Amino acid sequence: MDSRPTAREGAAEPTETGQWEEGAGADGALAELDLFIDALRRRDGLDFSGYKTSTLSRRIRQRMQFLRCADVADYAARIDGDEAERRVLAGELLVNVTEFFRNAPVFSLLARETLPDLLRDRNPGDELRLWSAGCATGEEAYSLAMLALDAAEHAGFTGGVKVFATDLHPEALAAASAGIYDDEAVRTIPEPLLRRFFQREGTRWRAESALRRHVVFARHNLLVDPPFTRLDLVVCRNLLIYLRPEAQLKALDQMHFALKPKGLLLLGTSE
């Protein structure tokens, strides 16, 4: 998402130990990094092979420093055998940063122009199909669904509305599926939409079934798994910046395949 730090492909990462610096000795460093990629893929089905080396190494280093672990091989061995630590590291690598209606002007444009245009001249039996790729804990997917349902009501569209919301991180997806958020999380939801689609439960807010039934959460790897099809809109904001150039192209090809001939792709401000 928009506030995630970016990393320039090929740039050297500052490090206290000198490990994973790109340039001299990079082959050995990459081999050590492959130990983590292999363990996460083999043990948990998380494939980070398309991610930028600089991004992966920086976040692994940060976790090692937190644990006061100076040796890469020792930490790689721990990752291979410690499920709890793998979950923590996976969360660090995936960086689930999001919020409702993040980057408000973008959602204003969706509500004002994009969604009404997509709903124009629809047959009653049609389905408006959207995809939130890299949905994290669900705020973006629910934001899209709220706007789509509101736009459908104003347009008199009686067909279906479906938002496919995907991510690699199973814990983030579990939180998204539960649809429960605190007061701070929902502060950016416009009041009419909050009252319509969420129910207060003590100090938290739960997404109503009228909203949740329109959102399908699923674990999905954009680079490996088959894409969805016949989509009107794909939203993939500031995910590509973490991928290597060849992986970026593959992701774009997947999303292009998923879209209808006149479908739209929404990327992040950093892309």
Side-chain angles (χ1 to χ4, degrees), residues 166-181:
T166 62
D167 203 276
L168 277 175
H169 197 195
E171 293 182 2
L173 287 170
S177 297
I180 300 173
Y181 302 94

Side-chain angles (χ1 to χ4, degrees), residues 58-219:
R58 181 177 64 252
R59 301 202 184 283
I60 292 172
R61 263 199 322 276
Q62 289 170 347
R63 185 61 187 164
M64 288 176 61
Q65 290 168 359
F66 176 80
L67 295 172
R68 300 182 182 278
C69 178
D71 188 83
V72 173
D74 286 347
Y75 186 54
R78 176 172 177 175
I79 287 298
D80 193 53
D82 187 337
E83 180 181 356
E85 181 58 27
R86 281 200 309 276
R87 286 201 304 268
V88 173
L89 180 61
E92 294 289 330
L93 297 179
L94 291 169
V95 196
N96 295 305
V97 178
T98 184
E99 66 179 38
F100 288 102
F101 297 94
R102 185 169 190 179
N103 195 342
V106 171
F107 281 95
S108 177
L109 180 64
L110 287 173
R112 187 176 66 253
E113 297 181 20
T114 307
L115 290 170
D117 285 348
L118 289 174
L119 288 166
R120 191 166 291 115
D121 301 324
R122 290 264 176 170
N123 295 320
D126 285 350
E127 183 177 61
L128 180 68
R129 294 164 61 86
L130 317 175
W131 180 11
S132 172
C135 69
T137 47
E139 288 90 332
E140 178 179 87
Y142 286 126
S143 298
L144 290 170
M146 284 186 274
L147 289 189
L149 290 168
D150 193 60
E153 181 179 285
H154 282 90
F157 175 64
T158 57
V161 172
K162 187 72 69 179
V163 176
F164 301 97
T166 62
D167 203 276
L168 277 175
H169 197 195
E171 293 182 2
L173 287 170
S177 297
I180 300 173
Y181 302 94
D182 60 22
D183 285 333
E184 177 64 19
V186 303
R187 64 181 172 76
T188 53
I189 302 178
E191 187 69 19
L193 296 180
L194 179 64
R195 297 297 176 185
R196 176 180 174 185
F197 291 112
F198 282 81
Q199 177 69 41
R200 178 179 275 284
E201 295 183 351
T203 60
R204 301 189 295 177
W205 295 80
R206 181 187 294 273
E208 296 272 18
S209 60
L211 175 64
R212 294 170 64 188
R213 69 168 176 259
H214 294 279
V215 186
V216 178
F217 291 102
R219 191 174 181 185

Side-chain angles (χ1 to χ4, degrees), residues 16-83:
E16 295 179 1
T17 63
Q19 299 172 100
W20 288 313
E21 286 185 294
E22 300 186 34
D27 290 343
L30 289 174
E32 290 177 330
L33 191 57
D34 282 342
L35 294 174
F36 294 92
I37 294 173
D38 177 68
L40 290 165
R41 180 171 49 211
R42 178 165 38 83
R43 296 289 192 179
D44 301 310
L46 294 170
D47 189 355
F48 289 97
S49 59
Y51 280 61
K52 290 180 179 179
T53 300
S54 55
T55 300
L56 295 178
S57 63
R58 181 177 64 252
R59 301 202 184 283
I60 292 172
R61 263 199 322 276
Q62 289 170 347
R63 185 61 187 164
M64 288 176 61
Q65 290 168 359
F66 176 80
L67 295 172
R68 300 182 182 278
C69 178
D71 188 83
V72 173
D74 286 347
Y75 186 54
R78 176 172 177 175
I79 287 298
D80 193 53
D82 187 337
E83 180 181 356

Side-chain angles (χ1 to χ4, degrees), residues 189-251:
I189 302 178
E191 187 69 19
L193 296 180
L194 179 64
R195 297 297 176 185
R196 176 180 174 185
F197 291 112
F198 282 81
Q199 177 69 41
R200 178 179 275 284
E201 295 183 351
T203 60
R204 301 189 295 177
W205 295 80
R206 181 187 294 273
E208 296 272 18
S209 60
L211 175 64
R212 294 170 64 188
R213 69 168 176 259
H214 294 279
V215 186
V216 178
F217 291 102
R219 191 174 181 185
H220 182 274
N221 187 331
L222 181 60
L223 302 177
V224 177
D225 298 324
F228 299 94
T229 58
R230 299 182 295 107
L231 296 172
D232 297 287
L233 174 68
V234 174
V235 178
C236 183
R237 298 202 296 161
N238 295 354
L239 170 61
L240 299 182
I241 59 174
Y242 295 100
L243 303 180
R244 299 176 184 177
E246 62 273 19
Q248 292 175 350
L249 292 175
K250 184 172 183 179

